[in-house]
Amino acid sequence: MASRAAEFLNMKQQGEKFVVLTAYDAPTARIEVEAGVDIVMVGDSVGTNVLGYASEREVTLDDMAHHIAAVRRGAPDAYVIGDLPYATYESETQALASAALLVRAGADCVKFEGARPQIVQALKREGHDVCCHIGLESQHQQGKRRQGKTAEAAGTLLADALALDAAGMDFIVLELVPRELAATITKRLRAPTIGIGAGADCDSQVLVVHDLAALGTRDFKHNRRYGALADALREAVAAYARDVREGRFPAAENGFSMEPAELAAFEKSIA
């Protein structure tokens, strides 16, 4: 069966933008697809946004498989990219085993960080779609700092991107790199680019859904808040708590009663 990644390569070639957004559970994935998201990304950002971990490094393969499976159940027809967690692709053999687990869980494509063309080649030989990730690498760098700010650093990232493209990757995430560098990489690569904090010239954009919807406690320069779901949820929960404490919930319409004959029989039985 032909890889669905070809659909997005064709969009790049036609100059059409596509939309990527993270999701970590079934209802969020369903809503995203209904709203027009093209690719659902189950990132290792699940660790800091959902699981309460201190960093992405704590995310395990089992964590990723669990959340990929949930997303797949919520969006059975979506194209899903799943992250390979920290230290699960240190060799070709390990990367293949890790990728197979995520694909069994429901991923169409696996993503990893860093310039590792040999890992791309190994995964492609086994028929996997591959998304690479350069610039800010949360698994491998301390702090969320912009990358590629000097000519030398930008040149290194461009060379890395070209090497990964030559190895056969299907996508690449460019995170927190200058817009000029992202534009150059996008123009030079065959594979589509997915930008986050990398300017408007990438072939696609991705955000963390918790950032987009203001569900987290932090905001970032590369993000735009399109909603305030944390505020809405806080207000809803506070209203519920007040109604419970003051006896307004549940009301009559929130429950049901026994049929009179059954109630009479029950009361007789316990008299």
Side-chain angles (χ1 to χ4, degrees):
M1 186 174 70
S3 165
R4 290 180 59 194
E7 301 172 20
F8 302 101
L9 176 59
N10 183 62
M11 291 178 74
K12 175 187 175 90
Q13 293 170 342
Q14 299 299 318
E16 299 176 27
K17 302 281 190 180
F18 57 93
V19 180
V20 187
L21 188 61
T22 69
Y24 315 107
D25 58 70
T28 303
R30 174 181 55 79
I31 290 167
E32 288 182 6
V33 172
E34 290 172 350
V37 168
D38 298 299
I39 296 178
V40 178
M41 182 177 289
V42 188
D44 59 8
S45 49
V46 67
T48 52
N49 285 284
V50 175
L51 299 177
Y53 294 158
S55 79
E56 291 83 356
R57 282 196 177 196
E58 297 179 55
V59 176
T60 67
L61 273 171
D62 286 342
D63 289 334
M64 291 305 306
H66 177 83
H67 288 276
I68 288 167
V71 164
R72 176 55 70 204
R73 288 189 288 270
D77 299 321
Y79 188 89
V80 174
I81 297 176
D83 268 1
L84 294 173
Y86 176 68
T88 66
Y89 48 93
E90 297 304 302
S91 68
E92 294 181 15
T93 300
Q94 186 187 35
L96 289 169
S98 300
L101 179 64
L102 300 194
V103 170
R104 286 196 297 272
D108 295 292
C109 177
V110 295
K111 179 169 79 66
F112 68 87
E113 292 181 357
R116 306 187 190 197
Q118 74 282 4
I119 299 297
V120 175
Q121 292 169 339
L123 291 168
K124 292 303 294 181
R125 281 196 300 269
E126 293 299 313
H128 295 297
D129 288 1
V130 179
C131 181
C132 295
H133 186 143
I134 62 172
L136 174 66
E137 299 177 18
S138 295
Q139 294 177 8
H140 302 106
Q141 298 165 356
Q142 297 294 322
K144 309 290 186 183
R145 298 186 181 91
R146 288 173 284 180
Q147 305 294 314
K149 295 185 290 184
T150 67
E152 181 180 4
T156 297
L157 288 171
L158 174 59
D160 290 344
L162 291 169
L164 292 165
D165 201 41
M169 69 180 178
D170 297 285
F171 308 90
I172 187 168
V173 172
L174 306 176
E175 183 168 3
L176 293 191
V177 303
R179 58 176 64 91
E180 299 87 355
L181 173 59
T184 298
I185 291 174
T186 298
K187 185 181 296 186
R188 296 278 297 273
L189 296 191
R190 174 182 178 275
T193 58
I194 301 171
I196 177 167
D201 291 315
C202 295
D203 299 304
S204 177
Q205 299 293 325
V206 64
L207 285 176
V208 172
V209 67
H210 288 66
D211 297 340
L212 171 155
L215 276 167
T217 58
R218 296 182 61 192
D219 196 15
F220 302 95
K221 180 179 175 62
H222 66 263
N223 182 57
R224 179 180 294 174
R225 288 186 166 180
Y226 286 89
L229 297 194
D231 290 343
L233 181 59
R234 190 176 297 108
E235 291 171 8
V237 172
Y240 162 71
R242 286 194 302 270
D243 283 355
V244 169
R245 291 191 177 103
E246 296 172 10
R248 291 194 297 268
F249 180 85
E253 64 268 21
N254 303 120
F256 66 96
S257 297
M258 296 174 69
E259 293 293 332
E262 295 298 331
L263 177 58
F266 171 67
E267 290 176 339
K268 182 178 180 180
S269 73
I270 62 174

